[in-house]
Amino acid sequence: KRETFLTSSSAQRTAADDDLTSGVQRVLHRCRYDLAALRLYDLDGGDHDWKLAAGVPTYVAVFGRDMLAAAWQASLVSVDMLRGALSCLAERTAKDRNDWRDALPGRMLHEQQTDPLSALNFTPHGRYFGTITTPFLFPIAVAELWRWTGDAELLKPFLEPALGALAWADEWSLAESGFYEYRTRSEQGMKNQAWKDSDDAIVRPDGSQVDAPIGTCATQAFAY
């Protein structure tokens, strides 16, 4: 009876292990498929340097924080997306002040839209920098690329943009209170520039709107 029980238990464990392995493989396949659906082929820099859109179907465009966050989380599978996100945003770092686009030297891109209104400059979204999340996520992503690859040469092009983003934050975002805050200078800029970025996203306990400048707890965590 003992031998029968052990044989039966072993068979059950094998079947359970097979089911688990099969389930994990299905999840990984689905994740790879979904990530591939977000690939912006027109911005590819090669097989190991490709960029992710923020979402389908509404946000098929470059969004700095979404691209960095997704690439960071997908690093377990591949660093190709991380390399692509870093190269894409390093090339699009603001060089001058432009209040229409909420741009300041060193500030990282929030979004780059290609719709007609953006292309004709009726909105600033053709290249808009109103974000406080991307500048902090960029150095974190650089550090993650180092942890996954240990390749110092691979990191070199991203070090200056990362330090520039932190310099922007200290010069333009750091308040006397010691907290990092944001506000828009653009006529069509985003009122809220952290993860919760809808106009009515940041409220007090009684539901009333918080006026700018605003420093969210998530922003302080990224900065730390």
Side-chain angles (χ1 to χ4, degrees):
K1 288 181 179 180
R2 180 174 181 276
E3 290 177 356
T4 302
F5 173 77
L6 290 176
T7 303
S8 176
S9 298
S10 177
Q12 289 174 356
R13 286 197 300 273
T14 301
D17 290 343
D18 289 344
D19 288 342
L20 178 60
T21 301
S22 177
V24 170
Q25 289 175 338
R26 286 197 302 271
V27 170
L28 284 174
H29 177 75
R30 181 73 242 184
C31 291
R32 290 173 59 196
Y33 183 85
D34 290 343
L35 283 171
L38 295 172
R39 188 172 181 177
L40 295 168
Y41 285 92
D42 56 326
L43 297 180
D44 267 3
D47 291 339
H48 301 291
D49 180 350
W50 56 282
K51 286 80 172 174
L52 291 171
V56 174
T58 306
Y59 299 105
V60 184
V62 173
F63 281 79
R65 67 182 185 199
D66 303 77
M67 181 182 285
L68 286 171
W72 173 14
Q73 293 169 359
S75 295
L76 177 65
V77 177
S78 171
V79 296
D80 293 349
M81 291 158 284
L82 199 55
R83 293 173 61 177
L86 291 171
S87 64
C88 177
L89 296 171
E91 293 170 359
R92 290 163 173 78
T93 300
K95 301 296 189 296
D96 304 299
R97 177 168 178 168
N98 184 326
D99 287 351
W100 170 244
R101 301 189 181 281
D102 271 335
L104 289 162
R107 196 173 195 182
M108 291 283 175
L109 187 75
H110 172 60
E111 63 181 305
Q112 183 175 338
Q113 300 277 12
T114 57
D115 61 279
L117 291 178
S118 298
L120 294 171
N121 207 32
F122 281 96
T123 73
H125 301 145
R127 190 164 288 198
Y128 180 63
F129 295 85
T131 176
I132 199 169
T133 311
T134 309
F136 289 123
L137 270 180
F138 190 92
I140 293 173
V142 173
E144 285 299 308
L145 184 62
W146 164 253
R147 292 190 182 99
W148 283 104
T149 66
D151 188 339
E153 290 297 318
L154 189 60
L155 266 63
K156 280 186 177 181
F158 310 130
L159 296 181
E160 185 175 344
L163 294 173
L166 296 176
W168 164 82
D170 284 345
E171 181 175 356
W172 295 96
S173 177
L174 185 60
E176 293 182 0
S177 64
F179 290 99
Y180 290 91
E181 301 174 342
Y182 59 80
R183 69 160 67 240
T184 183
R185 293 180 171 85
S186 174
E187 295 177 4
Q188 295 188 32
M190 295 173 61
K191 176 188 174 184
N192 290 312
Q193 300 181 358
W195 274 107
K196 297 177 69 175
D197 60 9
S198 59
D199 287 344
D200 59 353
I202 309 299
V203 298
R204 297 184 178 88
D206 64 1
S208 61
Q209 292 292 307
V210 177
D211 296 326
I214 300 172
T216 66
C217 58
T219 297
Q220 317 315 315
F222 281 125
Y224 180 81

